[in-house]
Amino acid sequence: MKIRNRLFPSQYYLPLVIFGVSALFFGCSQYSTSGLSVGYHNLTAKYNAYVIARDKMKEADIALKKNRKENYNQLLPILYPLDSMEAKSVDALLQDVIKKGSLIPDRHQNSRWVDNALVLIGRARLYKGQFTDGIETLRYVNAKGKDDDDKHEGLIWLMRAYVETKDYNSALSVAEHLRSLPLNENNTRDFYLVKAYLHQQKQEIPLALGILEETFPLLSKNEETARIHYAAAQMYDLIEKPLAANIHYKAVSKNRPSYDLEFFAKMNSLQNEALTNSSISTEDGFKKLLNDRKNNDLIDRLYYSMGVIETRKKNYKKGLEFFGKSVRETTTNTTQVPFTYLEMAKVYYDKLQNYELAKAYFDSALVLLPVASPQRQKVAERKEVLDEFVKHITTIRTEDSLQRLSQMNPATLDKYLDKVIEDEIAEYKRKVKEAEILVSQAQSLSANASNFDGNPAERFPLYDLTLVNTGKVEFRQRWGNRTLEDDWRRSAKIATLMTPADNNITAVPTTPGQGATIQIAGDDLVKLTKDSPEWKAKKDALYRNIPLKKQELDASNQRLEDAHYKLGKIYKFSLEEPDNAVKTFETTLSRFPNTNYKPEIYYLLFLTSAKNSQSWKDKLLAEFPNSSFTRLLTKNGGAVAASGNIELEAMKDYEKILTLYQSNNFSEAYAQLEMAMVTYSGSKIEDKYALLRIYLLGKLQGKEAYLKALNSFVKDYPSSALLPRVREVLESQQSTSSKKNG
């Protein structure tokens, strides 16, 4: 028997159900402010989207940290730079962060997790290199966000984004705003770190350190804190405060560092102690680390540090010995090698003035330095100067050697050339034997390669005999059977002549008028006999390099004269060594009294010589009264200056320098321009010289020097007719920079 519900007749059931479902639906709308709706969306936004996105971001951070390889030879950035290339390995995770995070503002707008989600989305976009989108997202959080702490977090990441895009002015503006806000502890910590990172990137090291010192009490004990202590110590080293640096090096081990980080901190601390305490022996200080078997793969870095200590103590010979040991002790990890070569180059360049060896080590360092290394640009600049320097030094030694040979009597010269060939054969045999020893060592190392339990990609190639043999086959396919000797790649080879006067091997380039050197390599070279046609042909080729005829001797002297003159200018303008410049110019005048460069050399000696400037001025005035260089000396009050010819000379020299610039001879153009700007100071085209100097700086020293010079021009030449052009270039550069940053 059916019991009817008298309260709700059956005809009302369906409308009541529809009404109830509708009330539930509209009550939980993301646009509703009711307690039920907000609670529902808070719950679903957090656990269906935000927690998942947050955990994905943490997973991406952990993966990036695991994959990142720190270079402890470089100044560590306080925060890890955001690198979109590195982030490609976690692209799927970042996409999930954006996807899950986007659900919250799309479906749960009335929840408390919208701001958090947008910050996560902004971070993920910054990681991916999408800075424009990331910055806009973080700006939106600040403009529309509801929770102050979340807005502050978004502003901190916005500041970080500006630092990464080198928009330092915008970053500083955000920092000033944040400084006035009541930040919670976590945001205060992160703000300090980003602010310190900003000043570090701007090379404002003392400011960065001051902020870091306030930050350390807010940091937990973990590997990340250990890393920041190490970066602080490096910065104290940079501003030459070793005692303060050691406080932070020792703090590294108290914060659960990785083994490598702790090793480098201990080593650098020892280095500072040895530098500040002369009673500590370098060998004694590093003995424990050298004998620790756990450091077998880091021996090269230990010897490098020992070399740095000795060179700072001015024990250059001992320092170079340790650097050499560092290179020889290199195993599978070769990241240390370019920095060791760089230190050796600096010693030879700055301390010993041995520019040829400095060039060799700068060359090696430049080949091996990482592309992103901050030292790379400076090394390239020095290398360019040293390439030119060594070219002229080599010319001088070569021509001097050849001229000494030309003074020998024919019989002595004939015997000497026979000995040159004999020595070449003996040297070839020595290198073959040396190569056999190296191959034998490689074979023994290859036997151990099968026991290598690491990553095969990290195995040193010469430990693997299969790779060695493959390389030999590829070499023969490309180059054929080449003798083991210097400059084996050159098609037009050079002969080597040893002069009895200096007992040095001198490379003698083949000149067009002398014919090519006969090349006899490998076993054919060993089989040469004195009576064979090949021996005679080889000796004839050597004869052709010696200036025995008057026209050949004249050509040799001209090459010597040019090399001495250019070498003096390199000493003066590029190496900034006035004493060597004076000595070289005086040698040029002594050896070539009729040189066409005499008026200019007199003038350069007048500008360079500290003791005899007046005597050089007198010589120039007496011997070359109508020279353009004489008019330069008399332009302030002289009759020539009064006639207005100084402006004509200024224009002529400007055209010459412009021609050098247009022919890509930037170093010589810059050297001449520096001199011309002194001599034509106050002329009507002084601003034109200044503008040309800006272009040369851009070619020689890069964009930073170029922009700095442009800004200086605006201040120094406010009434110049070229000013609108300079401002246009500046605006163009700033616009380009903004687009890249965006």
Side-chain angles (χ1 to χ4, degrees):
M1 178 180 177
K2 278 188 178 182
I3 300 175
R4 292 184 176 272
N5 189 331
R6 299 181 180 274
L7 186 61
F8 294 108
S10 59
Q11 63 265 33
Y12 297 115
Y13 284 174
L14 182 59
L16 283 172
V17 170
I18 293 173
F19 175 80
V21 171
S22 300
L24 181 65
F25 176 79
F26 289 107
C28 292
S29 167
Q30 62 172 318
Y31 304 105
S32 172
T33 57
S34 69
L36 177 65
S37 176
V38 171
Y40 167 78
H41 283 285
N42 277 338
L43 185 69
T44 53
K46 180 177 180 180
Y47 293 105
N48 286 354
Y50 174 71
V51 170
I52 298 172
R54 181 197 64 191
D55 290 347
K56 292 288 184 182
M57 179 59 77
K58 287 181 180 178
E59 191 178 341
D61 279 328
I62 292 169
L64 285 172
K65 181 180 176 182
K66 184 178 179 181
N67 295 335
R68 187 175 285 112
K69 291 185 178 180
E70 298 276 22
N71 187 342
Y72 298 108
N73 291 305
Q74 304 271 291
L75 176 63
L76 290 189
I78 294 167
L79 299 174
Y80 293 116
L82 301 181
D83 188 333
S84 58
M85 294 302 294
E86 286 184 6
K88 285 185 177 180
S89 62
V90 294
D91 190 67
L93 290 171
L94 296 175
Q95 282 297 115
D96 282 347
V97 171
I98 295 171
K99 182 179 178 181
K100 286 294 182 183
S102 298
L103 292 175
I104 298 174
D106 284 348
R107 301 180 184 179
H108 310 287
Q109 283 194 17
N110 60 347
S111 78
R112 56 167 295 197
W113 300 103
V114 173
D115 297 342
N116 305 78
L118 289 172
V119 172
L120 280 178
I121 293 168
R123 284 181 60 188
R125 285 173 173 163
L126 297 182
Y127 279 38
K128 288 166 65 67
Q130 299 169 356
F131 287 104
T132 302
D133 292 339
I135 287 171
E136 285 302 315
T137 302
L138 295 167
R139 279 177 174 168
Y140 182 85
V141 174
N142 180 55
K144 303 293 184 181
K146 298 175 182 177
D147 183 271
D148 284 343
D149 288 341
D150 295 336
K151 290 170 68 175
H152 299 164
E153 183 185 1
L155 280 173
I156 291 166
W157 275 100
L158 179 63
M159 179 180 167
R160 175 79 179 274
Y162 286 135
V163 176
E164 295 294 344
T165 56
K166 301 190 185 306
D167 186 356
Y168 299 135
N169 290 333
S170 296
L172 286 169
S173 297
V174 176
E176 282 299 307
H177 178 60
L178 279 166
R179 197 173 64 165
S180 64
L181 300 175
L183 305 180
N184 64 27
E185 186 173 333
N186 286 342
N187 283 337
T188 300
R189 176 201 62 206
D190 294 341
F191 168 60
Y192 283 171
L193 286 174
V194 177
K195 185 77 159 56
Y197 179 53
L198 163 62
H199 290 295
Q200 185 194 40
Q201 294 301 300
K202 292 184 68 184
Q203 303 298 312
E204 297 169 350
I205 301 302
L207 269 175
L209 285 167
I211 296 168
L212 276 184
E213 294 294 357
E214 297 294 323
T215 312
F216 285 118
L218 303 174
L219 301 178
S220 305
K221 285 191 174 182
N222 52 41
E223 186 178 340
E224 186 59 35
T225 301
R227 181 186 174 280
I228 295 171
H229 274 294
Y230 186 84
Q234 286 182 305
M235 288 190 284
Y236 275 119
D237 273 340
L238 200 62
I239 60 175
E240 298 181 354
K241 291 188 176 181
L243 295 177
N246 269 11
I247 293 172
H248 289 282
Y249 281 134
K250 290 175 181 177
V252 169
S253 60
K254 299 175 184 177
N255 285 276
R256 301 197 290 273
S258 65
Y259 180 80
D260 279 0
L261 180 58
E262 186 174 20
F263 167 83
F264 277 90
K266 285 181 178 178
M267 185 183 57
N268 289 349
S269 179
L270 277 174
Q271 183 175 307
N272 282 341
E273 288 172 6
L275 287 170
T276 54
N277 188 345
S278 58
S279 64
I280 298 177
S281 164
T282 305
E283 286 89 343
D284 292 342
F286 282 81
K287 186 179 292 182
K288 185 177 179 181
L289 288 172
L290 285 168
N291 292 333
D292 190 339
R293 286 185 296 176
K294 289 186 294 184
N295 296 332
N296 284 347
D297 290 338
L298 298 166
I299 295 294
D300 58 335
R301 189 59 176 79
L302 288 170
Y303 278 122
Y304 167 81
S305 289
M306 294 166 74
V308 170
I309 292 171
E310 292 299 329
T311 54
R312 289 184 183 174
K313 289 181 176 180
K314 299 184 179 180
N315 300 327
Y316 303 125
K317 182 178 179 182
K318 189 71 174 175
L320 289 169
E321 287 177 8
F322 283 133
F323 287 141
K325 283 185 178 180
S326 172
V327 174
R328 290 193 295 274
E329 292 290 339
T330 300
T331 55
T332 56
N333 187 354
T334 59
T335 56
Q336 177 58 49
V337 173
F339 300 98
T340 305
Y341 282 148
L342 189 54
E343 285 301 317
M344 296 176 81
K346 289 177 181 177
V347 171
Y348 281 119
Y349 184 94
D350 295 321
K351 308 302 181 185
L352 303 178
Q353 280 78 51
N354 187 332
Y355 296 117
E356 291 168 282
L357 282 176
K359 171 190 162 6
Y361 284 109
F362 275 128
D363 284 349
S364 299
L366 190 62
V367 169
L368 299 173
L369 274 172
V371 175
S373 172
Q375 293 105 318
R376 194 174 179 85
Q377 178 63 30
K378 289 184 179 179
V379 173
E381 290 169 12
R382 281 194 176 182
K383 178 188 177 301
E384 184 178 351
V385 172
L386 291 176
D387 283 347
E388 191 73 12
F389 178 89
V390 171
K391 181 178 80 172
H392 299 315
I393 282 285
T394 302
T395 298
I396 291 169
R397 291 178 179 170
T398 298
E399 299 301 335
D400 280 344
S401 298
L402 291 174
Q403 288 192 22
R404 280 194 290 270
L405 291 178
S406 70
Q407 302 303 314
M408 289 183 179
N409 66 63
T412 304
L413 179 58
D414 195 71
K415 289 180 181 178
Y416 177 80
L417 295 181
D418 283 334
K419 187 174 185 309
V420 169
I421 299 173
E422 290 169 0
D423 289 344
E424 186 179 347
I425 294 170
E427 178 68 6
Y428 172 76
K429 290 179 178 178
R430 185 191 67 77
K431 288 183 176 180
V432 167
K433 182 176 281 189
E434 190 177 275
E436 289 172 350
I437 293 171
L438 290 173
V439 170
S440 176
Q441 291 174 346
Q443 289 172 341
S444 65
L445 289 170
S446 180
N448 298 326
S450 58
N451 300 322
F452 182 77
D453 57 357
N455 183 350
E458 295 179 355
R459 180 185 292 149
F460 187 51
L462 292 182
Y463 288 179
D464 191 328
L465 192 58
T466 304
L467 287 175
V468 172
N469 289 330
T470 302
K472 288 179 180 178
V473 171
E474 291 177 356
F475 180 89
R476 284 195 295 270
Q477 288 174 344
R478 180 173 182 182
W479 299 102
N481 291 317
R482 293 285 180 114
T483 181
L484 182 62
E485 59 184 343
D486 292 339
D487 305 305
W488 54 266
R489 287 173 294 185
R490 297 191 184 179
S491 56
K493 296 288 288 183
I494 58 175
T496 57
L497 298 175
M498 182 179 292
T499 66
D502 56 17
N503 199 34
N504 285 327
I505 297 294
T506 303
V508 185
T510 302
T511 56
Q514 295 171 325
T517 302
I518 301 298
Q519 287 306 305
I520 301 172
D523 294 336
D524 293 334
L525 180 64
V526 177
K527 294 175 183 176
L528 274 182
T529 59
K530 282 190 178 181
D531 298 328
S532 67
E534 290 81 7
W535 186 288
K536 184 178 183 304
K538 191 169 184 65
K539 189 158 66 173
D540 287 344
L542 296 178
Y543 264 116
R544 286 194 291 273
N545 288 316
I546 302 170
L548 298 172
K549 299 176 183 178
K550 183 181 183 303
Q551 61 268 32
E552 293 171 350
L553 188 61
D554 289 343
S556 175
N557 280 325
Q558 187 60 56
R559 288 191 288 271
L560 275 170
E561 181 183 334
D562 293 343
H564 275 94
Y565 159 74
K566 291 175 181 177
L567 195 63
K569 294 184 75 171
I570 291 174
Y571 273 128
K572 175 169 175 56
F573 294 109
S574 300
L575 300 179
E576 297 181 355
E577 292 186 25
D579 291 341
N580 279 331
V582 169
K583 184 179 177 181
T584 306
F585 286 139
E586 288 178 344
T587 300
T588 309
L589 294 174
S590 173
R591 293 193 62 176
F592 310 100
N594 298 318
T595 175
N596 291 328
Y597 299 120
K598 186 180 284 189
E600 184 178 356
I601 290 176
Y602 280 168
Y603 183 74
L604 290 172
L605 284 168
F606 161 71
L607 295 176
T608 311
S609 178
K611 296 179 180 179
N612 303 313
S613 61
Q614 186 60 43
S615 65
W616 293 115
K617 178 180 179 180
D618 293 340
K619 282 178 175 289
L620 179 57
L621 294 173
E623 296 180 30
F624 302 97
N626 297 317
S627 164
S628 60
F629 296 99
T630 305
R631 291 195 288 275
L632 292 176
L633 289 179
T634 59
K635 73 184 182 84
N636 295 318
V640 176
S643 69
N645 285 346
I646 187 66
E647 298 297 340
L648 181 61
E649 294 299 332
M651 182 56 73
K652 285 181 180 178
D653 281 358
Y654 176 82
E655 294 297 336
K656 290 177 184 176
I657 297 169
L658 183 62
T659 301
L660 288 171
Y661 171 81
Q662 291 170 340
S663 60
N664 296 329
N665 194 349
F666 303 127
S667 296
E668 178 65 16
Y670 186 75
Q672 292 193 23
L673 183 68
E674 287 289 282
M675 183 184 71
M677 288 194 70
V678 174
T679 55
Y680 296 118
S681 175
S683 74
K684 293 179 181 179
I685 62 167
E686 183 182 353
D687 57 341
K688 292 185 71 173
Y689 275 107
L691 185 58
L692 182 55
R693 180 178 179 274
I694 292 171
Y695 295 142
L696 284 166
L697 281 173
K699 296 293 185 183
L700 294 172
Q701 298 181 22
K703 186 176 180 180
E704 186 175 344
Y706 174 69
L707 291 174
K708 185 177 179 181
L710 283 169
N711 283 298
S712 296
F713 186 97
V714 174
K715 297 176 184 176
D716 296 339
Y717 301 95
S719 60
S720 170
L722 300 172
L723 194 59
R725 181 178 175 186
V726 171
R727 283 182 172 151
E728 184 181 338
V729 173
L730 264 176
E731 290 172 5
S732 173
Q733 291 292 328
Q734 291 167 356
S735 173
T736 303
S737 177
S738 299
K739 288 178 181 177
K740 286 182 179 178
N741 293 339

